[in-house]
Amino acid sequence: MLRKAIALDAASFTLHNSSGLCEDKSCQSKAGIGNQTIRQYEARNEMIRKLVYGMKLVLGRNAPGNRLKIYEDDVFIVSYPKSGNTWTRFLIANLIYREKHPDFSNINELIPDPEVLAKRILDRLPRPRYIKSHQYFDPRYPRVVYIVRDPRDVVLSEYYFDIKRRAIADDYPLHQFVSRFVRGEVNHSYGTWGENAATWFYARRSDPRFLLVRYEALQSRAMDELGRIASFLGLSADREQLSFTVEQSSADRMRELEKKQAHLWSSTRETRKDKPFVRSAKAGGWKTELPEAGVAAIESAWGGLMREMGYELALLSSVHADSEL
Amino acid sequence: MFYSVKKLLTNALGMDIAGSALAVRPDDTFVVSYPRSGNTWTRFLIANLLHPQEPATFLNIGRFVPDAEVQSSHYMRRIPSPRVIKSHTYFDPRYARVIYVVRDPRDVAPSEYDLLRKYRRIEDSYPLARFIDDFVSGAGSLASAGWGTWGENVASWAFARGARQGFLLLRYEDLKACPKQELARVAEFLKIDASPERLQGVLDRSSADSMREMEKKQDWGSTKNKNKRSDIPFVRTASVGGWTRRLGAESIVKIESAWGHIMAQLGYKTVTSALGNDHRTLLDVLGLPGC
């Protein structure tokens, strides 16, 4: 009974999701569904979703998301989506749970995602817990490793990921996607890239319980940055451990694992097999791939913040970018 | 298990407190601030702006500018658009239109201390200096507060939204020093075309004196706080700079070393350091009119 309900929930979630992403009219008429029908579907799905959530809630099988009970020794691995969060999860998992051979089949249990894992499992994890999150600032998070990545690369990564998860078609115009990204429509529940980064950065930057990690630094000096993360977490790690961890979490190894285990991981399970989750894993791809208008849109939206976080602007003068702060 | 069943039932009946689960509408305007920063005063100003025919009181303010953290989802749903809603929350990306009120944290702290004593959350014997530790760390007597610390609340809003459209930053101190000018900014933000006479009327009806008089007669929030003390008023001194007399040097240093960088950006001159001297501050960037 419950299993059936959960399956229904998954189905309704997919439907809800796809209708939400189907924004332009051509897309809707292509699907041959009128607005009326969509609304009826949504109303019914909303009701089913609520019922299923209620049952799960009573049985502790719900993914708590924002309602997660937080302990004071919890550590949160936070970033905007597509900013190296999964990579950092692998690094930290390989550092702490080496004997468990972290891979895509167990990463959700080792460094759990409260939006995916059930409450009753989250409540029983060994402490301190290391928890993944994409949330904008939340004052309840006691210790935070925040990973920030150049938004000009983030938008490209998100674009390819949305093709992989069938949210947009292969030929969806990139410039249109950039506009939606800047307006915060792509990951609306996590705020815009700027809101996510600025809220954490300015609210916690001088707090000893906050560590800012730049994706680009993690790329170019993995050992040093991992060492910094380890000491922030109070873990003693020698060079051998650090280099083993970096090797175990390399893009090549993660690509190999993805090939074998994509069906075992919630983020890749129902996505296209012809597109990888672990993509280029490089910094600066935007310089060749992102059209100038896209660069301009991002820099005029967040230029001041980008400069503050160490990203050099390509198009805007500093005076211009400051107007946004 | 009992808790979750109870939650399920209140949810189904719409009796749950709206809070962070509030269904936000794109045309909602939120009056946001850390507590004790002039939020209630701003609510009165706005209510008197919007409803010239019915002066705002402590009895109708919850209807004119409702508090989503007090009202049920059902109540919030029934209010016609556009709504103006009060909030103390830290950053929420769903809030499209925000009037954010900020006040010097050195004045906020003693005010919050007095309010917590009024509501018997702390005793008179709880030292102010110890409260300042709680105020800065967000722990101790403020551990259960859901709005973050002063610095977290202010920084998460001011820097994420800054000079963007749909965000109006008000400084409590400017509201005190040049109320008419600041009220005109609020009216413009709310797209209300108000004459200088109307603005003056709004200010008179929302003055600290008139709010103090109303507080004496109107038992505000009595359902929630039956146990509150009447010897400490809610509408307190309504003044700027009281901290110089009330806070000890150690407390001042604690607040400034925690948030000096944010305070400097907002034009609050720190006395322990000379932060932000030669740099453009957030205030410069926003181009607030000043007095």
Side-chain angles (χ1 to χ4, degrees):
Chain A
M1 169 73 183
L2 182 77
R3 196 169 301 159
K4 194 178 164 193
I6 291 171
L8 239 173
D9 182 37
S12 75
F13 178 76
T14 324
L15 204 144
H16 181 79
N17 232 8
S18 55
S19 65
L21 290 156
C22 195
E23 276 174 347
D24 45 49
K25 281 189 187 112
S26 67
C27 170
Q28 275 172 17
S29 62
K30 228 182 270 170
I33 308 169
N35 272 340
Q36 180 83 28
T37 332
I38 288 178
R39 230 171 282 134
Q40 280 170 359
Y41 264 122
E42 279 179 351
R44 207 194 61 190
N45 284 324
E46 174 69 12
M47 206 177 72
I48 294 174
R49 202 182 55 78
K50 273 191 172 169
L51 274 171
V52 172
Y53 181 77
M55 285 174 59
K56 283 184 174 182
L57 191 71
V58 171
L59 298 169
R61 292 196 183 218
N62 59 307
N66 281 341
R67 294 196 179 103
L68 173 73
K69 183 172 185 244
I70 293 169
Y71 301 112
E72 40 183 78
D73 58 348
D74 282 343
V75 177
F76 285 84
I77 318 297
V78 189
S79 77
Y80 202 64
K82 311 313 288 173
S83 300
N85 200 309
T86 306
W87 182 26
T88 312
R89 284 167 91 187
F90 267 74
L91 285 168
I92 292 177
N94 275 308
L95 197 62
I96 299 172
Y97 307 111
R98 184 171 175 169
E99 76 290 352
K100 296 202 171 150
H101 309 290
D103 57 19
F104 286 107
S105 74
N106 63 9
I107 193 70
N108 274 5
E109 274 103 62
L110 297 176
I111 316 278
D113 179 348
E115 290 180 39
V116 176
L117 206 60
K119 179 181 179 301
R120 56 176 195 171
I121 302 177
L122 277 158
D123 286 349
R124 286 174 202 168
L125 285 173
R127 308 258 301 264
R129 303 182 297 183
Y130 298 88
I131 301 167
K132 171 228 167 154
S133 168
H134 288 314
Q135 277 302 317
Y136 51 89
F137 176 70
D138 187 327
R140 298 170 308 156
Y141 289 14
R143 279 192 291 169
V144 170
V145 176
Y146 189 85
I147 310 131
V148 64
R149 185 183 185 186
D150 191 325
R152 294 164 295 195
D153 278 337
V154 175
V155 71
L156 277 176
S157 179
E158 182 71 53
Y159 176 72
Y160 291 116
F161 182 58
D162 279 9
I163 292 175
K164 174 173 172 58
R165 63 176 173 181
R166 301 186 181 89
I168 53 173
D170 283 30
D171 58 356
Y172 193 91
L174 180 54
H175 65 89
Q176 201 172 322
F177 189 80
V178 175
S179 307
R180 288 181 51 216
F181 181 80
V182 169
R183 288 199 301 269
E185 291 167 12
V186 174
N187 282 306
H188 64 274
S189 54
Y190 306 128
T192 64
W193 177 87
E195 287 172 343
N196 201 293
T199 53
W200 279 111
F201 183 61
Y202 290 104
R204 286 278 173 93
R205 67 193 291 190
S206 56
D207 195 315
R209 300 167 306 159
F210 180 77
L211 183 77
L212 183 73
V213 178
R214 292 173 69 234
Y215 175 89
E216 293 75 14
L218 209 50
Q219 279 283 344
S220 57
R221 310 183 297 270
M223 290 272 287
D224 293 349
E225 289 301 297
L226 184 63
R228 224 161 57 87
I229 295 174
S231 76
F232 174 77
L233 299 176
L235 305 165
S236 55
D238 57 31
R239 287 200 67 77
E240 187 277 326
Q241 276 170 296
L242 292 179
S243 87
F244 174 82
T245 300
V246 169
E247 235 165 78
Q248 287 296 302
S249 320
S250 72
D252 283 343
R253 175 146 191 281
M254 284 176 69
R255 268 186 213 108
E256 282 308 307
L257 287 174
E258 187 194 341
K259 271 182 206 152
K260 289 179 226 141
Q261 303 181 320
H263 63 291
L264 297 173
W265 190 41
S266 57
S267 296
T268 44
R269 194 175 293 133
E270 277 156 26
T271 60
R272 286 169 57 168
K273 305 282 173 284
D274 58 334
K275 308 276 176 188
F277 178 87
V278 181
R279 216 176 42 101
S280 72
K282 275 197 193 102
W286 63 271
K287 288 175 191 161
T288 49
E289 278 193 73
L290 197 61
E292 195 168 291
V295 176
I298 288 178
E299 293 186 0
S300 66
W302 302 310
L305 176 64
M306 287 168 69
R307 273 188 328 131
E308 189 97 2
M309 302 191 102
Y311 297 113
E312 217 171 283
L313 305 189
L315 298 174
L316 285 184
S317 72
S318 56
V319 180
H320 220 102
D322 239 351
S323 66
E324 154 272 345
L325 231 155
Chain B
M1 170 110 178
F2 170 73
Y3 173 73
S4 34
V5 171
K6 191 180 152 199
K7 199 158 96 185
L8 197 63
L9 278 174
T10 48
N11 263 304
L13 297 171
M15 283 160 60
D16 54 310
I17 298 298
S20 56
L22 172 75
V24 176
R25 302 173 189 162
D27 57 355
D28 284 340
T29 299
F30 289 86
V31 182
V32 188
S33 75
Y34 186 80
R36 307 308 287 169
S37 301
N39 199 308
T40 307
W41 184 25
T42 312
R43 283 169 91 187
F44 269 68
L45 289 170
I46 291 173
N48 281 323
L49 254 182
L50 292 170
H51 308 278
Q53 68 296 346
E54 189 184 351
T57 68
F58 284 105
L59 303 176
N60 64 21
I61 194 67
R63 181 154 50 86
F64 286 154
V65 184
D67 183 344
E69 276 142 45
V70 170
Q71 301 293 353
S72 67
S73 318
H74 179 68
Y75 181 91
M76 295 303 295
R77 255 201 307 274
R78 281 178 21 195
I79 303 172
S81 291
R83 303 180 295 188
V84 181
I85 300 167
K86 172 234 165 152
S87 169
H88 287 313
T89 190
Y90 53 90
F91 180 73
D92 188 324
R94 299 171 308 156
Y95 293 11
R97 296 178 50 76
V98 172
I99 298 174
Y100 191 85
V101 192
V102 63
R103 186 184 186 188
D104 190 325
R106 294 163 299 191
D107 276 336
V108 172
S111 178
E112 190 161 17
Y113 173 73
D114 290 345
L115 191 77
L116 289 185
R117 288 190 300 125
K118 177 179 177 63
Y119 289 146
R120 298 183 203 278
R121 296 269 305 280
I122 51 178
E123 300 286 326
D124 282 352
S125 57
Y126 199 88
L128 177 58
R130 190 165 146 212
F131 176 76
I132 299 298
D133 293 343
D134 302 343
F135 183 69
V136 169
S137 65
S141 59
L142 289 174
S144 61
W147 43 73
T149 64
W150 179 90
E152 291 173 339
N153 199 296
V154 171
S156 69
W157 280 109
F159 293 101
R161 288 284 169 86
R164 277 167 210 282
Q165 251 198 335
F167 187 79
L168 181 74
L169 185 70
L170 291 179
R171 295 193 332 147
Y172 178 88
E173 293 74 15
D174 293 342
L175 261 176
K176 289 294 298 183
C178 30
K180 216 163 179 175
Q181 169 195 301
E182 295 301 296
L183 184 60
R185 291 176 66 220
V186 174
E188 197 196 331
F189 187 80
L190 295 172
K191 300 185 183 75
I192 300 171
D193 194 13
S195 63
E197 296 75 41
R198 185 166 159 201
L199 291 181
Q200 191 54 52
V202 168
L203 288 171
D204 294 342
R205 277 197 293 264
S206 321
S207 72
D209 283 342
S210 114
M211 283 177 70
R212 265 185 217 110
E213 279 309 304
M214 284 189 265
E215 188 194 346
K216 274 181 208 153
K217 291 179 222 141
Q218 299 158 358
D219 195 15
W220 189 37
S222 56
T223 48
K224 286 264 164 206
N225 292 290
K226 285 200 179 90
N227 199 23
K228 68 175 182 280
R229 290 167 57 169
S230 51
D231 59 327
I232 304 174
F234 180 87
V235 181
R236 234 173 33 109
T237 63
S239 62
V240 170
W243 61 272
T244 51
R245 292 179 297 281
R246 240 175 125 195
L247 295 185
E250 202 187 327
S251 296
I252 296 171
V253 171
K254 267 184 189 147
I255 293 177
E256 293 186 358
S257 64
W259 302 317
H261 57 291
I262 302 169
M263 292 169 66
Q265 289 287 318
L266 292 161
Y268 298 125
K269 293 220 165 59
T270 51
V271 290
T272 46
S273 68
L275 269 167
N277 267 349
D278 312 309
H279 300 290
R280 266 154 60 85
T281 65
L282 182 65
L283 271 194
D284 298 333
V285 173
L286 294 181
L288 293 193
C291 286

